[in-house]
Amino acid sequence: MARQWAGGHSTSILCVGASSGPEGVLASGSEGGEVTVWSQDGSIVGRLTLPGGEDSTSVVFSPAAAPTQLYVSHGDTVSVLDPRNLKARLEEFEGAGEDEINSLTLNDTGSALALADDSGAVRVLELPGGKVCRTLRRHTNICSSVAFRPHRPNNLLSAGLDMQVMLWGLQKTRPLWTLNLQDVAEEEGDHQQRPGQLFNPPLVHCVSVATCGNILGCAAEDGQVHLMRIGSGSKLEQQGAVKAHSQGASQAHFISFLSHPYWILSGGNDGLVALWDLSKHPVVSPDAKAKTATAAAPRRKVKSKAKRKEQSQDKAKTLPKEEEEADVEDKVAAGAGEATEEKPGPKLSISHGDKVNWLCPAVLKGEPSVVVADQSSNLTVYPLSQL
């Protein structure tokens, strides 16, 4: 049975985050700078409206100091809050983004905070203190989402409305590789849409990484959750997709607390919330890949861009051996096979009925659940316990 959490906001909720641990709390942010902290039963712990009236676009708890540090983006600023006492901000990183911030992510140790903004820039801030230590500029449109790879605090993924997914090694200011999903769609020649689905380009709204650190999923405007497997040397080994929604997919989040790390939740503009078991998907499972080799597309290289050609010429000199593995930017998907799912279909499908703004997997009072934010000022909680 779905439960409603009401009274925490007066405007549409844009983001939700959960702190770790059995006694963890949740936080949500909404239009107009509202922030609310919730207990696991939906009681309101505290509320705050941030100055400036700009939308609260992302909320993340520190893995190192949860639940005592909460990071909230609003405008180009990141505020650091203590969820137990929202009356005063602990810190404020004004101008952390070059433009409005869309997404925040913390590495495993809580020593770095990365953000994506409307200018297309990705910035990395040192913690504590909030000093900008990296500004990464390769996206040509809004950068919508960033995620650190688990167990690899110097590897960062970014994705945006330029239809590009990038893996960064933070020692450098250029990506290790870039995958353009529009190029992939053109090469596949797969313009067939699900019944009732509008043809939309694969603008990426959300990127998530499984706890293993090697599988990532991207929710895109074409209704698909695009999947990628990262192999040794941080190379892109395999890519594929799940045709998840009849309209744009706005959210995709891997779940860390179910039977294996390859469960992913997706949400879309079609009002659907779906749970997928990717453990047998050929992108995830080498065995499944072998069984469906005949269905896989031939190994092809994504079309080169002029920039890549120039970079190739710049890199003509021999690199030290330790840099060879990391320097795979120009090998974007050269060896990445493409595969499709054997038996498509979610393990659980919820007709939420409203466009999904955010999904937050969480264990609430011992029960696996998903918290859904939509166009309304309330949160909806669905149990996943029937699995």
Side-chain angles (χ1 to χ4, degrees), residues 171-191:
Q171 296 87 350
K172 301 182 180 182
T173 56
R174 53 183 171 77
L176 300 177
W177 53 256
T178 300
L179 182 66
N180 188 312
L181 296 181
Q182 182 66 37
D183 289 349
V184 171
E186 288 175 0
E187 287 213 346
E188 287 176 344
D190 180 16
H191 299 296

Side-chain angles (χ1 to χ4, degrees), residues 360-387:
C360 178
V363 179
L364 304 177
K365 297 291 186 181
E367 182 176 52
S369 307
V370 56
V371 182
V372 181
D374 54 30
Q375 310 294 296
S376 75
S377 59
N378 299 331
L379 293 172
T380 307
V381 179
Y382 295 99
L384 303 176
S385 51
Q386 57 255 58
L387 292 170

Side-chain angles (χ1 to χ4, degrees), residues 222-382:
D222 60 0
Q224 299 192 87
V225 175
H226 295 265
L227 305 173
M228 282 143 256
R229 184 174 74 239
I230 303 172
S232 61
S234 296
K235 294 179 181 178
L236 176 60
E237 278 191 347
Q238 183 91 0
Q239 73 82 24
V242 174
K243 294 181 179 179
H245 295 272
S246 61
Q247 296 180 37
S250 56
Q251 290 280 286
H253 293 275
F254 281 100
I255 302 175
S256 62
F257 49 75
L258 293 182
S259 56
H260 56 71
Y262 307 119
W263 293 95
I264 193 169
L265 278 160
S266 68
N269 295 340
D270 55 1
L272 182 71
V273 176
L275 178 65
W276 308 85
D277 180 356
L278 302 179
S279 59
K280 298 292 195 298
H281 194 287
V283 168
V284 174
S285 169
D287 292 339
K289 176 187 172 186
K291 289 176 185 175
T292 59
T294 55
R299 293 157 71 94
R300 291 175 294 188
K301 190 167 184 175
V302 172
K303 296 175 184 176
S304 295
K305 303 294 183 186
K307 282 184 181 179
R308 300 199 193 291
K309 291 177 182 175
E310 292 169 6
Q311 290 157 5
S312 297
Q313 292 167 2
D314 292 341
K315 290 186 286 191
K317 58 186 179 181
T318 304
L319 293 170
K321 185 176 181 181
E322 60 268 22
E323 289 187 23
E324 285 181 359
E325 283 193 338
D327 198 83
V328 292
E329 182 184 5
D330 290 298
K331 302 181 183 70
V332 177
E338 298 166 1
T340 53
E341 196 176 16
E342 275 186 323
K343 295 181 180 179
K347 296 297 181 183
L348 181 65
S349 183
I350 300 165
S351 296
H352 179 67
D354 199 356
K355 289 183 177 181
V356 174
N357 283 343
W358 205 279
L359 296 177
C360 178
V363 179
L364 304 177
K365 297 291 186 181
E367 182 176 52
S369 307
V370 56
V371 182
V372 181
D374 54 30
Q375 310 294 296
S376 75
S377 59
N378 299 331
L379 293 172
T380 307
V381 179
Y382 295 99

Side-chain angles (χ1 to χ4, degrees), residues 90-215:
L90 301 177
E91 290 182 278
E92 181 186 40
F93 307 145
E94 190 174 358
E98 296 184 353
D99 205 329
E100 183 176 2
I101 299 166
N102 299 308
S103 173
L104 299 175
T105 182
L106 285 154
N107 64 2
D108 287 338
T109 60
S111 63
L113 173 74
L115 58 88
D117 72 23
D118 275 2
S119 75
V122 175
R123 277 189 162 176
V124 182
L125 281 59
E126 293 177 347
L127 298 176
K131 178 184 176 183
V132 176
C133 61
R134 283 283 185 276
T135 299
L136 310 171
R137 307 178 201 277
R138 282 300 172 90
H139 286 284
T140 58
N141 202 323
I142 290 170
C143 187
S144 52
S145 187
V146 282
F148 277 104
R149 287 180 72 190
H151 319 301
R152 295 163 183 83
N154 289 317
N155 267 201
L156 178 68
L157 285 144
S158 66
L161 303 193
D162 56 0
M163 300 175 281
Q164 297 191 100
V165 182
M166 302 182 187
L167 176 66
W168 304 84
L170 295 185
Q171 296 87 350
K172 301 182 180 182
T173 56
R174 53 183 171 77
L176 300 177
W177 53 256
T178 300
L179 182 66
N180 188 312
L181 296 181
Q182 182 66 37
D183 289 349
V184 171
E186 288 175 0
E187 287 213 346
E188 287 176 344
D190 180 16
H191 299 296
Q192 294 180 356
Q193 304 289 300
R194 292 177 60 174
Q197 183 172 1
L198 300 172
F199 177 70
N200 289 315
L203 316 176
V204 186
H205 298 298
C206 180
V207 61
S208 178
V209 191
T211 53
C212 66
N214 296 326
I215 304 296

